[in-house]
Amino acid sequence: MKVINLGETNSVLNTYIAQMRDKSVQKDKMRFRANLERVGYIFAYEISKTLAYSTKEIVTPLGIASIPTYDSPIVVATILRAGLPLHRGILNMFDTAENAFVAAYRKYDRGDDFHIQIEYASAPKLDGKILILADAMLATGASIEITYNKLCEDGIPAHTHLVCPISSVYAVEYLQKHLMTDDITLWTAGMDEELTSQSYIVPGLGDAGDLAFGDKL
């Protein structure tokens, strides 16, 4: 698995990430959702550079223009609910893409121990397509791993791009051990060193789902 950290390069992406992390700015739920969406645009643009292209003849009002456009069939997938604004940003860049949705959450067993429970999954066939699987946070790596394996029951993608704006070093190392294939690329904008005993990223940004959509019971 290849790892690309866009946060290591100076760009406007870091401004959006900084606002998402800022405990005073993130109180504005609309801004938090908008920043997640804008982050999605940037990741989608970078991913677009990796796709297969061919030149098409485009008829304009005054003539014909030769323009290279991408040919890769794309499926944009997300883990509900925190990933929805991110999903929207990516989908707005790949407007003809198919979509997949997975409802996965931490089901606590005893104390701080938990496992990932999948309640719902909806996806098209993935054989030979480009899968972009987006989630706002990559804490332990377990949710992404289980979701990826669930989606692959509907076919094996030609390549998978994992989009996780904030990641933990632990989760990245976990995925590198459990998704050992050259057909996966992880895109992130920040890799944090620490996880709490409850497996929350530090410094992180808090609960992305709650920040985007409000507290849950």
Side-chain angles (χ1 to χ4, degrees):
M1 183 184 77
K2 184 178 181 181
V3 179
I4 299 176
N5 184 357
L6 296 180
E8 294 176 336
T9 302
N10 290 335
S11 77
V12 71
L13 172 64
N14 286 338
T15 298
Y16 304 149
I17 295 295
Q19 291 179 5
M20 288 167 56
R21 286 187 188 266
D22 191 311
K23 67 178 184 179
S24 58
V25 177
Q26 65 180 209
K27 292 177 182 178
D28 182 344
K29 289 181 172 55
M30 180 179 290
R31 177 174 287 274
F32 188 84
R33 292 193 300 271
N35 280 330
L36 259 182
E37 187 171 336
R38 293 195 290 186
V39 166
Y41 293 151
I42 295 172
F43 280 112
Y45 173 74
E46 294 297 329
I47 290 171
S48 76
K49 299 176 184 178
T50 71
L51 304 177
Y53 283 73
S54 65
T55 301
K56 281 85 170 179
E57 300 297 318
I58 306 300
V59 179
T60 79
L62 299 176
I64 296 177
S66 298
I67 303 176
T69 61
Y70 72 87
D71 304 310
S72 306
I74 295 172
V75 177
V76 181
T78 195
I79 300 175
L80 303 175
R81 63 180 170 151
L84 284 173
L86 185 62
H87 180 104
R88 181 175 178 177
I90 296 169
L91 184 60
N92 283 346
M93 296 291 276
F94 300 120
D95 44 288
T96 60
E98 297 177 280
N99 292 264
F101 299 93
V102 176
Y105 66 96
R106 295 180 178 184
K107 187 174 180 64
Y108 284 88
D109 304 310
R110 178 176 296 180
D112 294 331
D113 295 331
F114 63 88
H115 67 276
I116 303 302
Q117 181 79 22
I118 291 181
E119 293 287 348
Y120 170 86
S122 174
K125 283 289 185 181
L126 298 178
D127 287 309
K129 298 176 182 177
I130 302 298
L131 173 63
I132 303 175
L133 174 54
D135 197 12
M137 308 282 285
L138 182 67
T140 67
S143 294
I144 283 285
E145 178 198 14
I146 291 172
T147 299
Y148 170 76
N149 289 331
K150 179 65 176 179
L151 291 172
C152 285
E153 294 176 6
D154 295 304
I156 304 301
H159 196 94
T160 298
H161 297 277
L162 307 176
V163 177
C164 303
I166 304 296
S167 304
S168 75
V169 172
Y170 172 89
V172 173
E173 293 175 349
Y174 175 89
L175 291 181
Q176 287 175 323
K177 293 177 182 177
H178 290 80
L179 299 179
M180 298 177 63
T181 171
D182 294 333
D183 295 331
I184 297 178
T185 302
L186 169 64
W187 299 80
T188 190
M191 291 176 57
D192 294 352
E193 295 286 343
E194 186 180 344
L195 279 181
T196 69
S197 60
Q198 291 81 30
S199 296
Y200 287 105
I201 303 173
V202 178
L205 52 75
D207 189 305
D210 289 355
L211 290 169
F213 300 111
D215 296 342
K216 59 183 178 297
L217 294 176

